């Protein structure tokens, strides 16, 4: 059986030889076989995501970046999580799940104006799609970010009245 370390070394060697497709195949094998083990860390997922982007596999890259953002946030690295969300949005502007994730991370970090901007963008996008219940849920999440802040409640009420 091939070990995670061997797969990483082989993939890195292929990358250095400018064979990104072959390297990606090994990285995908590594993620498939060992993705939930300690042998695969957030940095490796990011590296594979970057390679996916270079090869034009945007959906796969976004999935890896989203998982990494959640992992960073759970570990308390909110700046890294926010940076990954912004990276996703550069490649998929207006991506509602990412905007929602970014809003949550900004709220957790205490960046209320950023959280407000992102939650409102989520709610507006969901409204345009006719998903009124989900839009209301996004506004509720925003209100929960700072439950005692009258300004936050005012913004939520104004949005609900629209």
């Amino acid at each position: 059986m091939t070990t995670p370390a061997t797969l990483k070394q082989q993939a890195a060697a292929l990358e250095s030889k400018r064979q990104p497709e072959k390297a990606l195949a090994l990285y995908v094998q590594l993620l498939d076989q060992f993705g939930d083990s300690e042998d695969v860390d957030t940095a490796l997922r990011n590296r594979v995501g970057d390679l996916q982007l270079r090869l034009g596999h945007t959906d796969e890259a976004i999935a890896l970046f989203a998982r990494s953002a959640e992992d960073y946030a759970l570990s308390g690295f909110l700046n890294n999580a926010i940076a990954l969300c912004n990276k996703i949005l550069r490649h998929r502007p207006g991506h509602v799940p990412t905007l929602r994730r970014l809003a949550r991370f900004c709220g957790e970090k205490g960046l209320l104006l950023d959280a407000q901007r992102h939650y409102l963008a989520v709610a507006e996008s969901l409204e345009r799609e006719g998903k009124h219940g989900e839009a209301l849920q996004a506004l509720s999440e925003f209100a929960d970010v700072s439950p005692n802040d009258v300004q936050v409640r005012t913004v939520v009420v104004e949005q609900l009245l629209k």
Side-chain angles (χ1 to χ4, degrees):
M1 179 175 163
T2 306
T3 68
T6 303
L7 286 172
K8 285 180 198 177
Q9 289 172 344
Q10 291 172 346
L14 288 168
E15 270 190 281
S16 68
K17 292 178 185 175
R18 299 183 191 262
Q19 297 179 6
E21 292 88 2
K22 290 180 181 179
L24 182 59
L26 288 180
Y27 281 131
V28 168
Q29 180 183 349
L30 175 64
L31 292 174
D32 287 346
Q33 289 181 353
F34 304 100
D36 292 324
S37 73
E38 61 189 37
D39 295 304
V40 175
D41 61 5
T42 306
L44 178 67
R45 272 193 221 92
N46 291 339
R47 184 174 180 176
V48 176
D50 287 335
L51 188 55
Q52 294 274 23
L53 279 179
R54 281 195 311 250
L55 295 173
H57 306 150
T58 306
D59 291 340
E60 293 86 349
I62 287 173
L64 289 170
F65 294 147
R67 179 168 177 191
S68 294
E70 289 292 342
D71 288 348
Y72 276 134
L74 287 172
S75 299
F77 298 108
L78 289 171
N79 287 338
N80 295 36
I82 289 168
L84 276 173
C85 288
N86 286 321
K87 185 179 205 175
I88 292 170
L89 291 171
R90 281 193 300 275
H91 296 280
R92 183 84 28 91
H95 189 246
V96 173
T98 300
L99 283 170
R100 196 173 205 157
R101 190 176 293 113
L102 179 58
R104 181 169 43 95
F105 297 156
C106 287
E108 288 175 17
K109 187 153 176 66
L111 304 171
L112 294 184
L113 288 178
D114 289 333
Q116 174 183 328
R117 179 169 45 98
H118 299 307
Y119 273 122
L120 292 178
V122 167
E124 289 170 7
S125 291
L126 292 170
E127 278 293 328
R128 279 193 302 274
E129 295 174 16
K131 298 178 180 177
H132 308 296
E134 286 185 53
L136 182 59
Q137 179 61 37
L139 291 174
S140 175
E141 288 171 21
F142 175 53
D144 291 343
V145 165
S146 187
N148 298 323
D149 189 324
V150 174
Q151 178 63 29
V152 169
R153 296 281 179 195
T154 302
V155 169
V156 170
V157 168
E158 287 172 359
Q159 289 299 308
L160 290 173
L161 291 174
K162 288 183 182 180

